[in-house]
Amino acid sequence: MTNILALNFGVLFAIIMLLWLISVQIKDASFIDAFWAFGMVIMAGLTWFQTNDGNPVRKAIILGLTSIWGLRLSIHLFTRWRRDGIDPRYKRMIGSLMDKKGWTFGKASLLQVFLLQAPLLFIVCLPAQLGQMSTDQAPVGPLTWIGVIVALTGIAFESIGDAQLKAFKANPDNKGKVLNTGLWRYTRHPNYFGDCCIWWGIYLVAAETSLGLWSVPGPLLLTFLLVKWSGVPLLERSLAKTRPGYADYIAKTSSFLPWPPRP
């Protein structure tokens, strides 16, 4: 187990350092968002190739769910980055360090963005790793199928939310406006809610094994990151400055869990 996890982390760290070198050349770190999901596909795939024990059906379910989610999201975020360019959040974050501390772009992006990615991604992806590594041959039971339903619900929720936002932004008449229809009527962040459903679902699949049960720090960390740290708070600070109607939207709409809008 230790050797598998060590190899996974080593490969992940090497890829992220390569991406950092690319970011220094193009002076843009915001493409790292597209790698976040794809990196978890790599972790799940590496674990699958390195393990011979465990229930093959459960391993296939974990790898399949991770791959369906990760490939769709990484392609979506990569094409958005290619279309829209530098994410203003990363530009402000790195620019602030360069101005206040006199750091170079390379140092600021390394310390503030890239060095954090490897450990955070690795921990969040623990269910996809430990769930495949268990050797106890635990049968696929009800908890796995509940997890599959939760994860697929999350994939659908996130995919629909992303499609609705993309269509909204494609209409030039909506520039500066707030999307408050579709899934966005019930939660201000359907994509983040979908992400959490996916990884809590994969955790439920993994939790039917004695080793996978200990991977709960993964979905807990992801929920904290999205709700309290780099997800909702960071994005909403930016939107509050650029969308005049966003304060009213906040007053009426649930922050995270889908809920009917308040009057």
Side-chain angles (χ1 to χ4, degrees):
M1 181 186 74
T2 304
N3 290 339
I4 293 173
L5 292 176
L7 178 62
N8 286 359
F9 186 81
V11 170
L12 177 63
F13 188 79
I15 294 174
I16 286 179
M17 288 300 96
L18 176 60
L19 294 177
W20 169 68
L21 292 175
I22 294 173
S23 79
V24 173
Q25 293 297 315
I26 65 176
K27 295 294 185 290
D28 181 5
S30 53
F31 65 86
I32 192 63
D33 284 348
F35 178 74
W36 173 265
F38 186 66
M40 298 195 194
V41 178
I42 294 174
M43 295 294 96
L46 282 173
T47 306
W48 189 83
F49 278 112
Q50 294 178 82
T51 53
N52 298 315
D53 300 319
N55 189 304
V57 175
R58 178 177 292 103
K59 290 173 61 179
I61 290 173
I62 290 174
L63 179 60
L65 289 173
T66 306
S67 299
I68 292 169
W69 165 77
L71 292 175
R72 186 212 71 86
L73 182 57
S74 60
I75 292 171
H76 169 72
L77 293 177
F78 183 78
T79 54
R80 188 181 71 179
W81 170 69
R82 292 292 294 168
R83 181 185 69 245
D84 299 341
I86 299 176
D87 189 320
R89 294 172 297 167
Y90 285 95
K91 186 175 182 179
R92 284 193 299 269
M93 184 192 310
I94 295 173
S96 176
L97 290 172
M98 293 172 67
D99 294 338
K100 294 178 180 179
K101 296 189 176 184
W103 290 359
T104 63
F105 178 91
K107 182 178 180 179
S109 63
L110 177 66
L111 297 181
Q112 189 68 21
V113 179
F114 286 88
L115 282 184
L116 293 173
Q117 295 294 320
L120 293 178
L121 192 158
F122 184 81
I123 294 171
V124 170
C125 198
L126 281 177
Q129 298 178 81
L130 298 185
Q132 297 186 75
M133 291 164 55
S134 183
T135 60
D136 58 11
Q137 292 293 332
V140 173
L143 196 59
T144 288
W145 299 118
I146 293 172
V148 169
I149 293 171
V150 172
L152 290 177
T153 300
I155 291 172
F157 212 92
E158 184 178 50
S159 302
I160 294 170
D162 284 340
Q164 291 173 343
L165 181 60
K166 182 179 179 180
F168 180 81
K169 288 185 173 181
N171 185 346
D173 293 337
N174 293 327
K175 186 175 182 180
K177 296 181 180 179
V178 177
L179 172 58
N180 58 4
T181 58
L183 296 180
W184 300 82
R185 171 179 168 83
Y186 302 100
T187 168
R188 303 199 299 269
H189 303 281
N191 47 353
Y192 292 161
F193 174 75
D195 258 352
C196 282
C197 285
I198 290 154
W199 281 98
W200 279 108
I202 294 174
Y203 169 73
L204 291 176
V205 177
E208 275 197 330
T209 69
S210 55
L211 191 58
L213 188 65
W214 293 95
S215 64
V216 68
L220 284 174
L221 175 61
L222 179 67
T223 304
F224 170 76
L225 291 175
L226 293 180
V227 177
K228 296 296 184 182
W229 190 30
S230 61
V232 172
L234 189 62
L235 179 59
E236 292 202 337
R237 281 198 298 269
S238 173
L239 291 174
K241 298 176 181 178
T242 58
R243 298 290 190 275
Y246 203 75
D248 290 337
Y249 181 59
I250 289 175
K252 295 178 181 179
T253 313
S254 171
S255 172
F256 187 70
L257 296 175
W259 198 256
R262 294 178 289 273

